[in-house]
Amino acid sequence: MRSKKWCLMFVADIGVIFLLSGMSQTLEIRDGKKILVYGARQPAPNIDPSQYYDWSTRMLQQSLYDALLKYVDSPPKVIPWLATNWEASPDAKVWTFHLVKNAKFHNGDPLTAEAVKFSFERTLKIKKGPAWMLLDVLTPEGIKVVDDYTIQFTLNQPYAPFETVLPWWYIMNPKVVMAHEKDGDMGQEWMKDGDAGSGPFKKKRWEHGVLYELEAVADYWRGWENPNHIDGYIFKLIREASSQRIAIQKGECDIVEGISPEDFDLVAKMPGIYVSNDPGLTTFGIKMNNQKGYTKDINIRKAICYAFDYDSLIKIYNGNAILEDSPFPIGLKGHISLKDKIYRQDLQKAKEYMEKAGYPNGGFELEYVYVQGLEEERKMGLVLIDNLGKLGIKVKMVPLTWPNMVARGSKVDTSPDMIAIFATPVFNDPDVVAYQYHKNSWGKYYGTAHYNNPEVWKLTEQARVIADFDERMKYYEQIQNMILEDAPEVFGMQYNRRWAFRDYVKGFVFCPMRFTGEIDMYPIYIQK
């Protein structure tokens, strides 16, 4: 068989043949299958849409599953997907969705309103994954099948952002899920690695700690816009950022995420590679334990906020970031600028707050927990050491794996003094960020500060039931001002989202609603 000079991995039943020629890779094509390799550092231990989500899990979930609606583009917008159209009652309490009639699951079963009902009920009953988004407003009793292709949700209270939440509530095949039920677990154990979806890709090869391979569904119900669409992709785990850079450089990977800012700048100058660069909604903050230890004192928290060198964050990202000017990210619907009130480095003010706290000379140590192996967060810790040292505060840097960080931050008693958190709003509405500061978010990674302000909680609860957005904004303006005044965290920056691609990879569409390293593989195609 004649080989073609594509820097793309082609996979065949009898293996992969690599032929190297200089700095490029020439691959022999077997069966004509275009299998893209995505190099990433974070594994996906659980892909059950009702149990779990983070960026790596969601990237695989959105390949395997479909939702009623979908986020696309930047600025983000919601478009019909499994639903063709929908209506809401004037008070935003009753929502009716009309489904496409040609969608089918990977095993050929039709996707009907019964599957939608089952999927929402399952997630609500398990109370994990995205359940928190709707637990306050939707119960299983409020979900009604009108007919095979019409589903109606009657909320227990009005909730204007309802439609903006739905892109992350994936629809599962009830027959497949319940065929693997054990002891009333609704198939949870099997679904950690199972595939009960209708999405553009289906599961092929699963090697935890090594790779996850998905193959394209040839007769995907929605079709494929480009005839050169990929036939599948391998989500390959590469633990070190430097190894990811080498992999994209040598053509061993076709896309990589999460390499250092310096390496992004480096590979962007190399032939055969391009780097995307889009403003994101993901924020970086150093969340402080608001209920335990020294950081329980608002004066200590404000001293830290005024001591921090914010410009260093921009330097760490080589200018590919902007500083936050509010607790709500710039670009999110409902954001207001508080640039005249936001904390910036002022050592004199920092020392004044230290004196108010009763520690004019410091004399204590604070723990800073960050993701092991994430160089940017390590550098941020070094900045903290330098800045807080001027107040007489020592900083102990503690690297942990992400799951261990989440576990530590889940309880007041174990949550560290300071913890580095990247948070991405999962839907385009101010409620999603306001709710991060509600008591119901304690235990989640974005709630590790255990922020305690009943007035903010009350305003958040009141705002989310109002249908008129202009009226809601009056509440969100108060919420942003009150959170900023309480200084629950160091409000840091929003960094540009970047990926490195081999130049034959086309079709990438950026959407800031997706998590840090997550991209939608459905529109990706190969241009020779």
Side-chain angles (χ1 to χ4, degrees):
M1 184 178 291
R2 188 178 178 184
S3 65
K4 298 182 181 180
K5 296 181 181 292
W6 290 4
C7 293
L8 186 68
M9 180 177 283
F10 287 84
V11 178
D13 291 338
I14 62 173
V16 183
I17 298 178
F18 295 89
L19 301 173
L20 298 183
S21 174
M23 291 300 293
S24 64
Q25 222 169 267
T26 304
L27 307 179
E28 185 170 342
I29 302 171
R30 296 289 181 94
D31 299 333
K33 297 292 185 182
K34 302 184 290 294
I35 310 300
L36 184 146
V37 179
Y38 186 101
R41 296 208 306 273
Q42 181 170 289
N46 186 341
I47 58 169
D48 184 350
S50 294
Q51 289 191 64
Y52 194 78
Y53 71 86
D54 57 22
W55 83 257
S56 52
T57 298
R58 286 207 337 185
M59 181 166 164
L60 300 177
Q61 285 172 344
Q62 70 171 308
S63 293
L64 295 167
Y65 295 91
D66 293 305
L68 293 175
L69 310 175
K70 184 171 182 173
Y71 274 113
V72 296
D73 299 336
S74 182
K77 63 181 179 182
V78 171
I79 64 170
W81 205 253
L82 286 172
T84 59
N85 59 294
W86 62 98
E87 307 96 36
S89 60
D91 64 356
K93 191 174 181 180
V94 180
W95 298 75
T96 306
F97 293 82
H98 308 279
L99 309 182
V100 299
K101 296 182 178 180
N102 65 322
K104 61 181 180 179
F105 290 107
H106 294 156
N107 69 349
D109 290 343
L111 193 158
T112 65
E114 285 290 351
V116 177
K117 184 176 190 294
F118 167 83
S119 299
F120 275 79
E121 287 180 346
R122 180 175 186 266
T123 300
L124 289 169
K125 288 176 181 178
I126 291 174
K127 296 183 179 180
K128 297 179 182 178
W132 66 270
M133 303 178 195
L134 294 177
L135 274 175
D136 290 349
V137 299
L138 180 65
T139 63
E141 293 72 28
I143 307 170
K144 176 184 176 182
V145 172
V146 178
D147 58 45
D148 282 351
Y149 297 101
T150 309
I151 187 84
Q152 188 173 83
F153 301 91
T154 300
L155 310 183
N156 53 33
Q157 63 186 39
Y159 187 53
F162 183 69
E163 64 184 1
T164 67
V165 175
L166 298 186
W168 302 121
W169 284 65
Y170 292 114
I171 308 306
M172 296 157 269
N173 187 331
K175 293 181 182 178
V176 172
V177 173
M178 297 309 289
H180 295 91
E181 182 180 28
K182 289 185 179 180
D183 301 321
D185 74 340
M186 302 189 77
Q188 288 185 67
E189 189 60 35
W190 184 83
M191 281 289 285
K192 287 179 180 178
D193 293 333
D195 176 358
S198 62
F201 297 89
K202 57 185 178 181
K203 222 182 102 179
K204 184 173 184 180
R205 184 166 47 130
W206 231 243
E207 297 179 23
H208 282 299
V210 181
L211 60 83
Y212 312 96
E213 182 177 354
L214 295 85
E215 62 180 333
V217 177
D219 60 345
Y220 178 50
W221 64 270
R222 199 175 176 91
W224 296 87
E225 293 185 5
N226 195 295
N228 292 320
H229 69 85
I230 59 174
D231 297 300
Y233 70 93
I234 295 171
F235 188 98
K236 181 180 179 181
L237 295 174
I238 304 174
R239 300 295 185 173
E240 299 295 330
S242 59
S243 299
Q244 288 178 290
R245 188 257 303 160
I246 293 170
I248 191 72
Q249 188 175 344
K250 289 185 174 181
E252 296 169 354
C253 285
D254 306 295
I255 309 174
V256 296
E257 58 79 36
I259 63 177
S260 71
E262 293 79 11
D263 280 347
F264 270 127
D265 293 342
L266 176 67
V267 298
K269 299 173 183 177
M270 294 179 178
I273 299 174
Y274 69 96
V275 173
S276 65
N277 197 334
D278 295 283
L281 293 176
T282 300
T283 59
F284 171 78
I286 300 172
K287 293 186 181 287
M288 296 177 273
N289 192 327
N290 285 210
Q291 296 191 55
K292 181 176 177 287
Y294 293 102
T295 53
K296 180 180 180 180
D297 188 332
I298 189 174
N299 294 302
I300 296 291
R301 298 200 303 270
K302 287 195 172 188
I304 293 171
C305 288
Y306 278 117
F308 190 73
D309 178 9
Y310 295 86
D311 290 338
S312 66
L313 296 175
I314 305 300
K315 293 175 184 175
I316 288 171
Y317 281 89
N318 293 345
N320 295 292
I322 57 173
L323 296 180
E324 287 186 84
D325 65 1
S326 165
F328 289 15
I330 298 167
L332 181 77
K333 185 177 181 181
H335 161 271
I336 62 168
S337 175
L338 299 175
K339 62 182 180 181
D340 295 331
K341 299 179 181 179
I342 197 76
Y343 303 98
R344 291 292 180 257
Q345 190 175 45
D346 186 330
L347 288 176
Q348 183 58 42
K349 282 188 177 181
K351 290 176 181 178
E352 289 172 5
Y353 279 107
M354 288 294 289
E355 191 164 346
K356 285 182 181 180
Y359 297 94
N361 300 311
F364 55 86
E365 182 178 76
L366 297 177
E367 189 179 36
Y368 167 73
V369 171
Y370 67 100
V371 175
Q372 181 178 317
L374 189 54
E375 181 63 11
E376 299 98 297
E377 290 188 357
R378 188 188 72 84
K379 289 181 178 179
M380 294 164 189
L382 296 177
V383 173
L384 270 178
I385 289 174
D386 177 66
N387 296 163
L388 300 193
K390 295 171 183 176
L391 303 180
I393 301 173
K394 292 183 178 180
V395 175
K396 179 183 179 183
M397 292 177 59
V398 180
L400 293 178
T401 63
W402 176 245
N404 287 338
M405 282 180 63
V406 175
R408 276 209 58 187
S410 65
K411 298 178 181 179
V412 169
D413 289 342
T414 58
S415 193
D417 304 305
M418 300 182 291
I419 185 170
I421 295 293
F422 284 93
T424 302
V426 292
F427 49 96
N428 191 24
D429 189 275
D431 180 68
V432 69
V433 180
Y435 205 72
Q436 291 179 15
Y437 297 93
H438 192 279
K439 62 181 178 180
N440 288 354
S441 292
W442 294 358
K444 307 292 194 304
Y445 75 91
Y446 43 79
T448 50
H450 299 276
Y451 177 61
N452 190 357
N453 187 327
E455 183 62 24
V456 169
W457 304 342
K458 180 181 177 181
L459 290 171
T460 299
E461 292 164 1
Q462 291 172 338
R464 65 197 334 236
V465 303
I466 299 171
D468 181 76
F469 187 77
D470 290 338
E471 185 65 25
R472 292 174 66 208
M473 271 307 301
K474 297 175 184 177
Y475 291 81
Y476 291 122
E477 183 171 353
Q478 292 182 65
I479 289 169
Q480 289 172 76
N481 274 282
M482 292 173 71
I483 294 172
L484 185 66
E485 175 61 26
D486 288 338
E489 65 191 78
V490 174
F491 297 104
M493 57 84 201
Q494 297 170 227
Y495 71 108
N496 288 6
R497 303 275 286 280
R498 304 170 86 187
W499 289 264
F501 301 81
R502 299 299 302 188
D503 60 7
Y504 46 76
V505 179
K506 307 295 183 183
F508 168 71
V509 179
F510 175 70
C511 180
M513 285 293 101
R514 299 193 177 96
F515 281 178
T516 50
E518 169 195 4
I519 68 173
D520 181 7
M521 300 299 283
Y522 173 56
I524 298 295
Y525 65 94
I526 302 304
Q527 183 171 293
K528 300 180 185 180

